[in-house]
Amino acid sequence: MQNVHTHTWNQSDHFAPETVRETDVSRGFPIDLTVQFDAFMADMASFDKVIVFGMKARLNGYWVPDEYVAEFVARAPGKLYGFAGCDPTQHGYMEELRYGIEGLHLSGVKMGPIYAGFDPRDPRCDAVYAYCQDHGLPIMTHSGTTFNSKAPLGFSRPWLWDEVAIKYPNLRMVLAHVGHPFCEECLVVIRKHPHLFADISALYYRPWQFYNMLIAAQEYKVMHKLLFGTDYPFALSPDSIAGLRHVNDMLAGTALPRVSAHVIDEILNRDSFSLLGI
Ligand SMILES: [Zn+2]
């Protein structure tokens, strides 16, 4: 199995104090999201390959240096693949990106428009998209909502990526969390573009939304574009796998349509790394 969505960071070094406070409020209790390597590897035991990134988004107080991600993944070569962070609102973002890829040998790029406060269609992004398309680098982007108060919801909409994909048809991209709660909007965007995918990370704990998304994906025939991810440390692997496997449990006693067991197996066993060209 493969996991396309995990984070590494040190909360005290990489999050602004206000961001830590908002995270605690969103959970309802104080939580330290710092990722410890041994705990991370234990959680990743079921996976052969894992994509790992931090986050660069100055507006909302996230800044994980690419060196930190590169050092983290170097502890398990062949299993962990790091992505460079990119915040195109900040000075020097292209130099940083080139160094992350060519100097630190990271395997793709992580963006977070809602966290950093930019429209995915912003002209400042063109250099990033062109570079990634030319170098065969996949982009993982946050899509959908978040709890941070300064994050503009207008930049979270999955449809914004449709225009990017029209302009860069060979650019491989993953829209994270199937754009929750705009899941159907995300499904129709990935349906249009052969190189666009969505990851199902951190959705299982809203089972009704998760179920409806999977049924919509079945009906739109885009199940083959859904990639498995967990969003560690926000969600753990055993819970994420069980949440997918047991998504039909709440239907007991109803005539509601079921998510096909065969398709669930396909999501869990998908060779996402090949689809993303890693
Ligand atoms: Zn994430």
Side-chain angles (χ1 to χ4, degrees), residues 5-7 9 53-55 110 115 142 176-177 201 231-232 234:
H5 192 136
T6 72
H7 293 275
W9 45 42
F53 34 78
M55 171 71 86
K110 167 71 163 129
Y115 293 114
H142 184 89
H177 321 302
S201 64
D231 206 13
Y232 188 95
F234 299 106

Side-chain angles (χ1 to χ4, degrees), residues 56-60 62-63 86-94 96 111-119 122-125 128 152 155:
K56 284 186 191 165
R58 194 63 83 192
L59 175 68
N60 274 283
Y62 297 99
W63 202 268
C86 183
D87 177 351
T89 70
Q90 298 298 304
H91 181 71
Y93 63 96
M94 277 311 297
E96 260 181 58
M111 300 179 88
I114 185 174
Y115 293 114
F118 65 90
D119 187 314
D122 188 308
R124 290 173 293 186
C125 296
V128 179
F155 297 153

Side-chain angles (χ1 to χ4, degrees), residues 169-275:
N170 293 316
L171 178 57
R172 292 181 173 100
M173 294 189 287
V174 182
L175 307 187
H177 321 302
V178 199
H180 81 104
F182 315 112
C183 298
E184 292 196 351
E185 182 178 307
C186 184
L187 294 173
V188 300
V189 173
I190 63 172
R191 182 171 77 140
K192 291 183 61 189
H193 301 289
H195 295 120
L196 244 60
F197 303 89
D199 83 46
I200 65 163
S201 64
L203 293 179
Y204 78 88
Y205 46 68
R206 293 181 201 99
W208 182 243
Q209 182 189 62
F210 189 41
Y211 162 77
N212 280 276
M213 180 279 288
L214 289 165
I215 293 296
Q218 263 178 195
E219 292 176 351
Y220 276 111
K221 298 188 171 43
V222 290
M223 280 296 213
H224 63 291
K225 308 292 285 297
L226 298 184
L227 312 182
F228 190 76
T230 59
D231 206 13
Y232 188 95
F234 299 106
L236 302 179
S237 299
D239 299 339
S240 302
I241 294 167
L244 178 58
R245 285 216 183 275
H246 295 285
V247 69
N248 291 313
D249 288 4
M250 66 181 161
L251 306 181
T254 77
L256 287 166
R258 297 178 71 80
V259 182
S260 146
H262 166 72
V263 160
I264 290 173
D265 276 335
E266 280 186 352
I267 292 175
L268 288 169
N269 295 308
R270 180 149 294 133
D271 185 1
S272 303
F273 275 64
S274 293
L275 294 172

